[in-house]
Amino acid sequence: MIEDEFLKSLYTQRDTKTYSEVSALFELNYQTILKLIPALKETIHNSVIRHKNEQDLYLIIEERTPYTGTFTLTHILGTVNRPNIKFKVFFDAKLLEVLSVCNETTLNNSHPYLAQCDDMNIQWELNTFIEKWLNYCLGKYKGMLWQTVKM
């Protein structure tokens, strides 16, 4: 009972994220993805970075238009793709928005106070995840060449 009240107090003390905070994260993630994939604006084929000491990193094109693109960035581990981050890039607005992580709406979809999440908090959670993962990937793969791959 006390643990339940503690969890609720932790969750309810968290400030709701604003549109401007989430939008700033979209902008930051756009800048970061271009460091990892400098030719993203021109990319029209699925690609991979092959790495000797790490998992290969795959970029899968889901949809492409002149001003937007929907992509999945993932490691293919046998028959499982993880973390399988699907995101949309708005090239004209210079924004990156996460659509899903591992086909889930939220990362923490089992916490007891999920009903208290609003759309901005969910967007914050998803886009904070990709921010951290992109920075991890930059450390492992930056400067490595992307190669076209058939999938």
Side-chain angles (χ1 to χ4, degrees):
M1 184 71 155
I2 292 174
E3 182 178 318
D4 191 45
E5 289 176 28
F6 175 71
L7 284 174
K8 186 173 181 177
S9 72
L10 282 177
Y11 204 73
T12 56
Q13 74 185 6
R14 181 177 158 195
D15 293 333
T16 299
K17 295 300 175 191
T18 65
Y19 177 78
S20 63
E21 289 172 314
V22 173
S23 182
L25 190 53
F26 288 175
E27 291 175 29
L28 176 65
N29 287 338
Y30 177 82
Q31 294 165 3
T32 306
I33 196 78
L34 290 182
K35 291 177 187 172
L36 182 64
I37 312 168
L40 185 63
K41 293 177 188 177
E42 295 80 27
T43 301
I44 57 172
H45 299 290
N46 296 333
S47 303
V48 63
I49 291 178
R50 304 244 183 242
H51 196 296
K52 287 188 261 184
N53 303 319
E54 300 290 337
Q55 295 293 326
D56 294 343
L57 183 61
Y58 290 85
L59 177 69
I60 302 165
I61 299 178
E62 308 286 343
E63 180 184 350
R64 195 68 168 87
T65 71
Y67 301 105
T68 65
T70 303
F71 306 92
T72 299
L73 194 60
T74 192
H75 295 294
I76 297 177
L77 310 168
T79 59
V80 177
N81 295 1
R82 293 285 179 202
N84 215 44
I85 303 172
K86 187 178 203 176
F87 58 94
K88 187 166 190 169
V89 175
F90 301 87
F91 294 108
D92 53 344
K94 299 182 178 178
L95 301 173
L96 181 153
E97 176 184 7
V98 174
L99 302 175
S100 68
V101 175
C102 300
N103 299 320
E104 299 293 332
T105 306
T106 64
L107 297 175
N108 190 11
N109 63 359
S110 63
H111 71 71
Y113 302 104
L114 183 63
Q116 293 169 306
C117 279
D118 64 12
D119 288 343
M120 288 297 114
N121 284 344
I122 291 170
Q123 284 295 332
W124 182 262
E125 183 177 344
L126 291 171
N127 287 280
T128 297
F129 180 81
I130 197 172
E131 176 201 16
K132 292 179 186 323
W133 199 62
L134 288 174
N135 285 319
Y136 166 81
C137 289
L138 276 172
K140 300 289 182 186
Y141 304 100
K142 187 176 180 183
M144 299 185 81
L145 296 177
W146 287 91
Q147 306 166 14
T148 299
V149 66
K150 294 194 186 242
M151 302 188 79

